[in-house]
Amino acid sequence: MANVVVVGSQWGDEGKGKIVDWLSERADLVVRFQGGHNAGHTLVIDGVSYKLSLLPSGVVRPGKMGVIGNGVVIDPHALVAEIGRLGEQGVTISPQNLRIADNATLILSLHRELDGLREDAARSGTKIGTTRRGIGPAYEDKVGRRAIRVMDLSNPESLRGKIDRLLTHHNALLRGLNEPEIAEQTIFDELMAVAEQILPYRETVWKLLADAKHNGKRILFEGAQGTLLDIDHGTYPFVTSSNTVAGQAAAGSGLGPNSLNFVLGITKAYTTRVGEGPFPTEQENEIGQFLGEKGHEFGTVTGRKRRCGWFDAALVRQSVSTNGITGIALTKLDVLDGLDEIKICTGYTIDGEAIDHLPASQGQQARVVPIYESLEGWKEPTVGARTWNELPAQAIKYVRHVEELIGAPVTMLSTSPERDDTILVEDPFHD
């Protein structure tokens, strides 16, 4: 059976929720493999919107198993609250449809506080644009080998020693920031208050997935954020704190890379990003306003307004390579309806020299100038189209040119937030 990895090919917010939901109907297990509750998906099912931050998309569908892998950092209180919100919408979450890696790292209140303190202390121009949810500091503690993990909640006695080790580091930071220190009991009580609600879900996830693979189950791996927010391959330092590329699906779940059969890159028909950092094709004009308003470009989790600009083929071509993308799902084509002219960035110049990729250097990224091609727009609507025959000729020409420029085929084409408004070229779960 084919297993599918879904990744964002831009800066996130590409419309992964709808595509993941569409694919989750064909999957048996849906696995989150990185990130925290700073990103999310909006699913629209039978006219009802479900907003998910930590929970895998499969949990809203009966008979599917949602899995939170070891690559995710988990705010236990946020997770309990999210389970509660879905419960109010009639979706029951239990160990029958959700499992959490016992070796996943926990986000604590001290991580959230440190996140905010450091962002506030940063000088103008050096702010990262963090969501202040503690994701970065939690990943720091993970690689610093002092993190509290899900399994630690089951042993209160050894937990105290781990908290003490953690606070040796954090209280030194707080002293340096002239902030009050944190007592061990405060963190202990915080964790014990939620332990009984989290522990029933804990699982040896690598083994669960190995058994699922052995039994011929279909597994869908869903990422959060986008490739250009990857800690290694993104626009550093204006990135998230985890690897967001497809290779992380293996490391963040414990299922080997030879089990990842199809990498689907979700790609918006234009470009957006949230927060600080370089954005070569950004349009701070009426075009940017048009895209933002028509595309309803506000964050699922944060509500932050997204910056908008033309499609950047050079960036997506880079993502195709770093992810090993098999095919793309092109979303929000309908947002471009009605424009007289549509531009696509095919490369850049930097200090007068042409280059075909975005350099890794922060200084160079700030100096790149996009090279554009112009295409004729279309007046007929594409919204709701479900076959190629329903698309205007110029819209088809645009899609074909995107394929040519990025070096990957369009596997799926989305023409509205509704899940059925999708043109399927190839089912990623092909046998």
Side-chain angles (χ1 to χ4, degrees), residues 141-307:
D141 282 341
K142 177 179 179 176
V143 299
R145 295 166 293 185
R146 55 182 171 265
I148 307 298
R149 303 194 291 177
V150 170
M151 66 179 74
D152 296 328
L153 299 178
S154 64
N155 192 333
E157 290 311 308
S158 66
L159 177 61
R160 288 189 180 276
K162 293 178 180 182
I163 293 172
D164 183 63
R165 172 177 164 78
L166 180 71
L167 289 178
T168 298
H169 173 82
H170 278 272
N171 280 334
L173 288 177
L174 290 170
R175 286 193 297 271
L177 291 165
N178 294 316
E179 296 289 333
E181 295 185 27
I182 299 170
E184 176 199 308
Q185 191 66 38
T186 300
I187 301 301
F188 183 82
D189 291 346
E190 174 187 321
L191 290 169
M192 287 298 98
V194 79
E196 288 186 7
Q197 294 164 282
I198 296 294
L199 284 172
Y201 297 101
R202 70 174 179 157
E203 180 65 76
T204 306
V205 160
W206 69 263
K207 189 174 188 310
L208 174 75
L209 297 181
D211 291 343
K213 179 192 173 187
H214 179 74
N215 292 322
K217 301 292 187 184
R218 288 177 165 179
I219 306 172
L220 175 64
F221 296 87
E222 77 173 306
Q225 292 118 348
T227 298
L228 293 160
L229 293 176
D230 184 277
I231 189 71
D232 289 305
H233 302 288
T235 47
Y236 190 90
F238 304 102
V239 292
T240 194
S241 299
S242 60
N243 287 110
T244 61
V245 292
Q248 178 63 17
S253 69
L255 194 65
N258 63 338
S259 299
L260 311 178
N261 308 110
F262 194 107
V263 179
L264 182 67
I266 315 300
T267 306
K268 196 177 284 187
Y270 50 101
T271 311
T272 62
R273 87 169 290 174
V274 172
E276 308 297 326
F279 184 172
T281 64
E282 183 173 13
Q283 298 296 300
E284 297 180 274
N285 52 29
E286 66 279 1
I287 292 294
Q289 188 173 348
F290 172 89
L291 295 172
E293 290 176 359
K294 193 168 180 186
H296 305 292
E297 296 296 351
F298 297 91
T300 296
V301 173
T302 62
R304 290 191 292 178
K305 187 177 179 180
R306 297 174 187 144
R307 300 155 61 190

Side-chain angles (χ1 to χ4, degrees), residues 28-34 54-59 64-70 72 97-101 201 203-206 208-209 212 219-222 252-253:
D28 299 299
L29 297 89
V30 183
V31 183
R32 266 288 300 275
F33 58 84
Q34 53 76 220
L54 270 171
L55 291 172
S57 300
V59 297
K64 309 297 180 183
M65 173 66 74
V67 179
I68 298 177
N70 57 275
V72 179
N97 66 347
L98 176 67
R99 302 288 173 82
I100 302 172
Y201 297 101
E203 180 65 76
T204 306
V205 160
W206 69 263
L208 174 75
L209 297 181
I219 306 172
L220 175 64
F221 296 87
E222 77 173 306
S253 69

Side-chain angles (χ1 to χ4, degrees), residues 7 34 67 73 92 119 155 165 275 284 344 358 395 400 422:
V7 293
Q34 53 76 220
V67 179
V73 287
T92 301
E119 188 75 351
N155 192 333
R165 172 177 164 78
E284 297 180 274
I344 297 179
L358 190 67
R400 295 304 184 206
T422 304

Side-chain angles (χ1 to χ4, degrees), residues 331-383:
T331 65
K332 290 197 160 185
L333 182 68
D334 54 296
V335 175
L336 301 177
D337 292 356
L339 289 169
D340 294 320
E341 179 188 42
I342 299 172
K343 293 184 178 181
I344 297 179
C345 171
T346 59
Y348 317 102
T349 60
I350 181 164
D351 304 330
E353 181 182 345
I355 56 172
D356 62 359
H357 66 281
L358 190 67
S361 159
Q362 182 182 352
Q364 288 183 312
Q365 288 174 358
R367 301 201 308 279
V368 297
V369 178
I371 299 169
Y372 286 115
E373 284 186 3
S374 291
L375 283 77
E376 183 184 338
W378 55 88
K379 297 300 183 184
E380 305 94 329
T382 63
V383 62

